[in-house]
Amino acid sequence: MKIYFSPASPYVRKCMVTAHELGLAGRIEKLPSAANPVKRDASVVASNPLGKVPTFITDDAQILYDSRVICEYLDTLAQGALFARGSKQRWQVLTEQSLGDGLLDAALLARYEAMMRPEALRWADWTRGQMDKIASCLQVLEARSDTLGERVDIGTITLGCALGYLDFRFPDYDWRSAHPQAAAWFAVFNERPSMQATLPKA
């Protein structure tokens, strides 16, 4: 199996954390990519018309995207339980995945505005809107932190990668002070071998 890889992508990290948790990481070859929202990587576009990572190639040459599809494929391949199939908890787990993905979407848009757009064209209200989405997501996460416990599933994996991305790309954003329960949960979850093995790099 192969994955178009970027060491800074939180969505690639989500897939690789999932692979580590399922014991599949060693079977996945990491293909270098230069995915970019402006200058698209032709090698990625050849497999994924969106030109985005993660893009995944199965052993039988099927191409999968995005992280939700890839993670569920890996879970099915390993006969895992990360998606809580057949469980009453499934909808909670999937909603937590959406919460984490939504936080990541907003964080990426805020970063692109600051780093990709020429300074003269940057829109402060746009950035504030994205950061407000992040704040709303953190409030919900704080309120439900006591339900996360020691669970390892696609919900907690996505939330862990989202909080890790805030630390990586927004180091001055002090989300912990106002969200102590979420911070306490993340401090434990982030020590998992799967999270440590996939720490983002600039």
Side-chain angles (χ1 to χ4, degrees):
M1 297 183 286
K2 301 175 182 179
I3 188 169
Y4 280 102
F5 180 84
S6 168
S9 167
Y11 292 111
V12 171
R13 186 185 189 194
K14 174 183 166 184
C15 294
M16 293 309 300
V17 170
T18 297
H20 278 279
E21 292 290 348
L22 295 169
L24 296 173
R27 291 176 53 186
I28 301 174
E29 178 186 352
K30 297 175 183 176
L31 302 177
S33 72
N36 183 291
V38 179
K39 297 178 181 179
R40 303 198 306 153
D41 185 334
S43 63
V44 179
V45 173
S47 296
N48 176 352
L50 299 172
K52 297 169 67 174
V53 294
T55 295
F56 190 88
I57 305 171
T58 69
D59 280 338
D60 59 359
Q62 185 175 8
I63 298 171
L64 306 177
Y65 44 87
D66 58 3
S67 66
R68 293 173 181 243
V69 176
I70 296 166
C71 290
E72 188 156 7
Y73 171 79
L74 293 172
D75 190 60
T76 302
L77 187 66
Q79 298 182 329
L82 297 182
F83 282 76
R85 284 179 290 271
S87 166
K88 292 181 179 179
Q89 201 170 38
R90 174 172 170 79
W91 304 115
Q92 176 184 348
V93 167
L94 293 181
T95 300
E96 288 168 355
Q97 176 181 216
S98 292
L99 179 67
D101 281 345
L103 193 161
L104 281 175
D105 287 345
L108 282 165
L109 288 172
R111 173 157 175 86
Y112 288 159
E113 186 72 14
M115 302 302 296
M116 303 296 296
R117 191 182 298 277
E119 186 173 0
L121 300 177
R122 291 174 194 166
W123 187 10
D125 285 347
W126 171 269
T127 300
R128 278 192 291 271
Q130 304 312 316
M131 298 307 295
D132 188 56
K133 290 178 189 177
I134 292 171
S136 296
C137 289
L138 288 170
Q139 289 173 2
V140 171
L141 176 55
E142 177 72 6
R144 65 172 59 180
S145 291
D146 61 347
T147 71
L148 302 179
E150 298 182 359
R151 284 196 285 117
V152 180
D153 52 44
I154 198 58
T156 56
I157 288 171
T158 308
L159 291 169
C161 290
L163 295 177
Y165 188 74
L166 288 182
D167 285 350
F168 177 53
R169 290 303 196 195
F170 299 85
D172 296 329
Y173 183 63
D174 181 20
W175 62 269
R176 288 174 172 79
S177 295
H179 310 94
Q181 293 187 70
W185 170 79
F186 179 65
V188 175
F189 190 84
N190 197 44
E191 290 302 315
R192 295 190 65 79
S194 63
M195 293 290 285
Q196 290 298 304
T198 58
L199 289 170
K201 299 176 182 178

